Amino acid sequence: MVLGNGKITNLMKYEIIPIAGDASFRTFYRFSSNKKSKIIVLSKKEKYKNLVAYSAINKFLVKNKITAPKLYSYNFSKGIIVIEDFGDLSFHKILLKKKNKLAIYKKLVDFLLKIQKIKPKEKIKKVNIGMHKVEKYSKKHLFKESDLFFDWYLTLFLSKKKALYIKKKSKKILTALYNKLNFPNSYLVHRDYHTQNLMQINKKRIGVIDSQDALIGNPAYDLVSLIDDVRIKTSLKLKNQIYKYYLKKTSKIYRINSKKFLEDFNILSVQRSLKIIGIFSRLFKRDKKIYYLKLIPYTWQLLEMRMKSEIFLKLKKILDKNISKRFRKTIIKK
C-alpha cells in the first residue's frame, strides 16, 4: 500500500500487527519504522471525520501544546493515515489498578483545564487543502444525540409507534432542559474525554486520542465525560471529589455561579447518558457489536443518579412509566 505524500512509500515491507479498535468504523495496526512504533489507521466509512477531521484537530491541539498523535503520512482518498503511537497504557488501565484514584483524576482534570485554555476557532487548517469547520454544540447537536436513545434503544423492545410517541413527549421536556443551559458554547470540547482516550506516555506525559468529534461547546461537557465515564465504575464520593477539584481550579466565574454550573453539568450528563445508551444499542443492532450491551445497565445508573434533581421530574416520570427498573438492569438479548 502506497501513501500519497511520499513519506512512507510501501507499508507491505513492514511487519504489521492488528491492535484493538473502538466504536468507530476504523481499524488500527501497529508497525515499526526507523526503530519507532507507528499506528496505521484505516477507515472505509466516514473518511472525512475519521481521518481528515481527526488529523486537523490533532494538528490544532499539538500547535496549542497539547499532546495528540502527530501525523506522519496520509492518503485520505484511500482511507489511510499513519500516526504517532502512544502505546497501550490508557488511564482506564491505570485506574483499574490504583487504590488512590483521586490523585490520578486530578492529573486528568489539570490536563482538561489545559485544553480549556485553548482559544477555540470555528475554522482550522486541514492537513492537505482547505479548512475544517469546528461547529458549535448547538441544540441541534444535543437533540441529534439524545434522539439515538429513542430511535435505537427503545425500538429494541418497543414498537416503532410506541417509541415515536415517547420520543415526541420527551422532546418537549428535553427542549425545556436544553433551554436551561446557562453557559455559552465557548470552549473546545473533545466530546469523548474519558479514561480510555487518555494515554500515559513515558510515565510523564498525558496524551489524548479520538479527538475527531471535537466541537465548540459548554465548559461542563468534557468534565461530564470524565466523571460519569460509563466504562469505569466510581463511587459518588469520588465523583463529587473530582467535581469539587475542577471547580476549585477552573475559572472563578463558575465558582461564583456554582449552582448554574451544576445545573449545566447535570443536564449534559443526562443528555450524554441518553446518547450513549442509544449509541451502544445501535452498535449492537446495526454493527453486531454485542460487547457494548454490557455497559448499558451502568449507564442507566448514571442517568438515574443525575435525574434526582427536580428539573428532571417530567423526564423521569415518562421514562419510569415506559421502562421498568428490572429491564434497565438487564442486558438486552434479541
Side-chain angles (χ1 to χ4, degrees), residues 112 204 234 281 302:
L112 172 59
K204 294 180 180 180
T234 53
S281 300
L302 294 172

Side-chain angles (χ1 to χ4, degrees), residues 124-141:
I124 60 174
K125 287 182 180 180
K126 289 193 284 190
V127 172
N128 49 354
I129 301 170
M131 306 294 283
H132 169 66
K133 185 179 180 182
V134 185
E135 296 183 13
K136 290 202 171 183
Y137 220 140
S138 63
K139 291 186 183 72
K140 179 183 175 183
H141 281 287

Side-chain angles (χ1 to χ4, degrees), residues 113 116 187 245-252 254-255:
L113 290 166
Q116 292 189 338
Y187 285 82
Y245 179 77
Y246 174 89
L247 213 58
K248 179 183 175 183
K249 301 273 286 188
T250 191
S251 172
K252 187 179 179 181
Y254 305 125
R255 289 193 293 278

Side-chain angles (χ1 to χ4, degrees), residues 26 35 66 76-77 90 104 113 132 137 201 208 244 300:
R26 295 172 297 181
K35 296 181 180 180
I66 300 297
F76 295 135
S77 63
S90 69
I104 302 295
L113 290 166
H132 169 66
Y137 220 140
I201 308 165
V208 62
K244 287 175 183 177
W300 260 112

Side-chain angles (χ1 to χ4, degrees), residues 43 72 76 103 116 136 141 148 162 220 268 282 296 305:
S43 183
Y72 293 124
F76 295 135
Q116 292 189 338
K136 290 202 171 183
H141 281 287
L148 295 169
K162 180 70 172 176
L268 292 171
R282 183 174 66 185
I296 289 179
M305 178 182 70

Side-chain angles (χ1 to χ4, degrees), residues 141-159:
H141 281 287
L142 293 172
F143 280 119
K144 185 179 178 181
E145 292 176 353
S146 53
D147 280 353
L148 295 169
F149 175 87
F150 307 100
D151 296 340
W152 289 94
Y153 176 70
L154 291 188
T155 54
L156 287 177
F157 56 93
L158 294 175
S159 68

